Amino acid sequence: MSTTDAALTTAMAEAAEADFMYAYESGTPAAARERLGIATDRIGGGVVLSMRDDPVSYWSKALGFGFAEPVTRELVDRIVAFYRAQGTPGATIQIAPSVLPSDWDEIRRAHGIEPATSWVKLAAPIAQVTPGAGTRLRVGPIGESDAAQWADVLLRGFGMPTEGLAEMVAASVEHPQFHPYGVWDGTDLVGGANLFVRGPVGALNSGSTLPSHRNLGVQSALIAARAEAARAAGCRWLIAETGQPAEGTKNQSLANLERAGLRVRYVRQNWRWLADADPAPAS
């Protein structure tokens, strides 16, 4: 892949992830939105998402930056100001390594922003995605009648609490860019995942399986179903992200994605901002 193609792939991948995260949180029903303290905005070509009362310290994040305009001290000041205005205790800032400025360490230290975990970003032309064997279980699209149960299963599969968050996830079923899928063992919904379509890009996201039904090919089958849906929607690329495994360990999600033909494009460092650790005075 040429340098130009790599840059375009990175821009598409980061934009798709930013948009599906924005869609999840901005589409949360009003009651759950108020209960969780959700606020969303678009800044500098990226998105800033705040869940002030996030029970898992996951949903407050800023991403998609460095393409519409460069990452600068002024941009980071604006991001931090958004979180301060919302009373957010902490947030994760996710920026592709190729667009980090040369003075990034100086910028981040001004706000006490520290490195955290890393994520692996994967992508492949959809013609190269060839998922392997599926599962004996039934796989199919999720409709409105399944939305609440599907959201509950997704969150429990990730080990997340369901209160408030389930309403947020369930609302995505009615969003026109999301294509949710589930897996059933008889009448029991035991796994699920989502696809977000943004122009030529299909973004795989939110795949999880209940502990009782792991190692049965559920996630491979969900990759296959979503890849076919992305093809039908006219997508030319499929993207995904997952956690970078610690040395000597294995991330099964990463293994499933690579087995299906997606390839690691880059590793993206997560950066953690904490209000209590920020040495810069609030404006």
Side-chain angles (χ1 to χ4, degrees):
M1 178 180 291
S2 71
T3 302
T4 300
D5 288 344
L8 288 172
T9 302
T10 300
M12 289 191 303
E14 293 293 313
E17 184 186 357
D19 277 1
F20 77 66
M21 288 299 304
Y22 185 90
Y24 274 124
E25 298 193 39
S26 65
T28 305
R33 187 180 179 96
E34 183 176 354
R35 182 161 66 251
L36 294 168
I38 293 176
T40 61
D41 203 355
R42 294 184 180 274
I43 296 174
V47 303
V48 283
L49 314 169
S50 172
M51 186 180 288
R52 187 182 58 249
D53 299 313
D54 182 356
V56 289
S57 299
Y58 172 81
W59 297 96
S60 291
K61 54 177 59 182
L63 65 162
F65 302 101
F67 303 98
E69 64 178 67
V71 176
T72 62
R73 171 64 187 270
E74 188 272 338
L75 175 61
V76 176
D77 287 347
R78 291 163 64 195
I79 293 169
V80 169
F82 167 82
Y83 288 115
R84 286 197 181 279
Q86 300 305 323
T88 316
T92 299
I93 300 173
Q94 299 172 308
I95 302 174
S98 60
V99 296
L100 284 173
S102 59
D103 60 344
W104 172 246
D105 280 343
E106 180 182 341
I107 292 171
R108 69 174 181 84
R109 286 173 182 147
H111 285 292
I113 297 168
E114 294 292 338
T117 58
S118 295
W119 282 13
V120 178
K121 198 75 174 180
L122 303 99
I126 203 159
Q128 296 177 15
V129 178
T130 55
T135 177
R136 63 174 177 80
L137 306 176
R138 178 169 66 90
V139 182
I142 292 293
E144 187 176 348
S145 63
D146 301 312
Q149 185 184 9
W150 173 77
D152 182 83
V153 166
L154 278 188
L155 291 164
R156 288 194 290 125
F158 282 120
M160 291 186 181
T162 59
E163 185 177 358
L165 296 177
E167 291 95 319
M168 177 184 72
V169 175
S172 71
V173 171
E174 298 183 49
H175 191 290
Q177 289 175 273
F178 280 114
H179 301 260
Y181 282 81
V183 176
W184 287 262
D185 185 355
T187 59
D188 296 329
L189 189 60
V190 298
N194 220 338
L195 168 74
F196 184 81
V197 173
R198 184 185 188 274
V201 177
L204 304 178
N205 65 93
S206 305
S208 77
T209 309
L210 295 181
S212 59
H213 285 74
R214 289 175 184 162
N215 301 313
L216 295 176
V218 169
Q219 288 305 314
S220 292
L222 286 166
I223 292 171
R226 289 178 293 165
E228 187 57 37
R231 286 190 186 95
C235 296
R236 299 193 301 275
W237 284 85
L238 209 60
I239 67 155
E241 55 281 327
T242 188
Q244 183 183 33
E247 187 173 352
T249 67
K250 181 179 180 180
N251 178 341
Q252 189 58 49
S253 293
L254 177 59
N256 290 338
L257 291 164
E258 290 189 298
R259 189 181 304 118
L262 281 85
R263 294 292 173 258
V264 174
R265 301 295 175 167
Y266 52 93
V267 175
R268 186 183 64 194
Q269 177 74 62
N270 289 329
W271 302 94
R272 189 70 179 161
W273 172 83
L274 296 173
D276 290 345
D278 190 340
S283 57

